[in-house]
Amino acid sequence: MLNKLTWATVAVIFGISLTACKILPTPSAEDGGNAPAFNADKMVGDIWAAKMLPYLQQKAGSFPEVHALAKADPAAAGAKYGNPKKQANSPWTFAVRLEGKIVAANTQSHAATMDVDADGDGKADARVQIGPAMRGTALRDSLDFIQFNDFTNQIDFAQFGKAFNIHADKTVLSKLPREALEGRSARVVGAYVMGSGQDLPLVTPAEAEVGPKP
């Protein structure tokens, strides 16, 4: 009798477990290719000009204004210039327009950058990534129409974030000059993640222009 009860209990628990799980079939060759392969680069290319750039251009605020508000009241800055649909444990990412003079540049690194003075005091206020390698996923994370739950898994979501950086480098940043940048003007529309400490805000551009040599 005890053994029958034990097996009955196991069967009930197993049945509940299966009910609670969502089992998805693994696509195979026999499926006839009905499930398209995930292509992060194509997804980004499809929305870049049609949706992403217009969104950033409309959302972005002047960098000095955004950064000052972010330091004083991050939630208020996030509501105005950030992505209010971000994951709760993620830092704010702000859309910004940055204009000013390049006061320093590091173009020897594979992860090249230029430091921009946005308020005319001769000191760098932000560091702009100009690739080809770029850190972070600020462009992806600034968009309120992109949600983690739209993706099958963390790997696809991460690849999608990286694809924004690759597209920015291919279409914009690779065309920027790399020599004698100091003293030139710069104009950028992009995004940066609110950080901590004394590091310069690291802006990832979606649009970027560098003026002529002075």
Side-chain angles (χ1 to χ4, degrees):
M1 183 64 178
L2 180 60
N3 286 340
K4 289 182 179 179
L5 288 173
T6 301
W7 280 108
T9 303
V10 170
V12 170
I13 293 172
F14 185 65
I16 292 172
S17 298
L18 286 178
T19 302
C21 293
K22 185 178 181 182
I23 301 176
L24 300 175
T26 301
S28 66
E30 296 176 356
D31 295 330
N34 292 331
F38 177 75
N39 187 329
D41 294 331
K42 183 180 185 306
M43 289 176 64
V44 169
D46 288 346
I47 67 169
W48 185 270
K51 196 169 184 179
M52 193 274 280
L53 287 180
Y55 175 88
L56 273 185
Q57 290 163 350
Q58 186 275 330
K59 188 79 171 180
S62 168
F63 174 81
E65 178 182 339
V66 175
H67 194 51
L69 183 58
K71 290 190 292 184
D73 189 341
K80 190 172 183 180
Y81 305 110
N83 174 9
K85 297 180 182 179
K86 73 180 184 67
Q87 293 177 282
N89 60 345
S90 299
W92 285 107
T93 302
F94 305 112
V96 292
R97 296 179 183 274
L98 173 65
E99 297 186 27
K101 180 179 288 188
I102 301 170
V103 293
N106 174 10
T107 57
Q108 302 304 311
S109 168
H110 193 60
T113 59
M114 57 186 186
D115 294 353
V116 178
D117 168 22
D119 57 14
D121 67 355
K123 299 177 182 178
D125 297 299
R127 179 162 292 163
V128 179
Q129 303 196 86
I130 56 174
M134 288 183 282
R135 293 165 45 196
T137 54
L139 293 179
R140 179 200 69 188
D141 297 340
S142 68
L143 307 175
D144 67 5
F145 56 86
I146 301 296
Q147 303 299 316
F148 173 72
N149 290 336
D150 296 336
F151 293 80
T152 302
N153 53 53
Q154 179 68 43
I155 294 174
D156 286 356
F157 190 56
Q159 289 179 344
F160 187 63
K162 182 180 179 181
F164 280 96
N165 296 350
I166 293 172
H167 194 87
D169 177 64
K170 181 173 67 175
T171 61
V172 179
L173 304 178
S174 62
K175 301 173 184 179
L176 295 178
R178 300 284 162 148
E179 301 297 328
L181 292 180
E182 292 185 32
R184 298 193 190 195
S185 62
R187 188 192 70 83
V188 169
V189 176
Y192 80 96
V193 179
M194 183 174 182
S196 57
Q198 302 301 312
D199 290 341
L200 289 172
L202 187 65
V203 178
T204 303
E207 295 182 331
E209 296 177 3
V210 171
K213 296 178 182 180

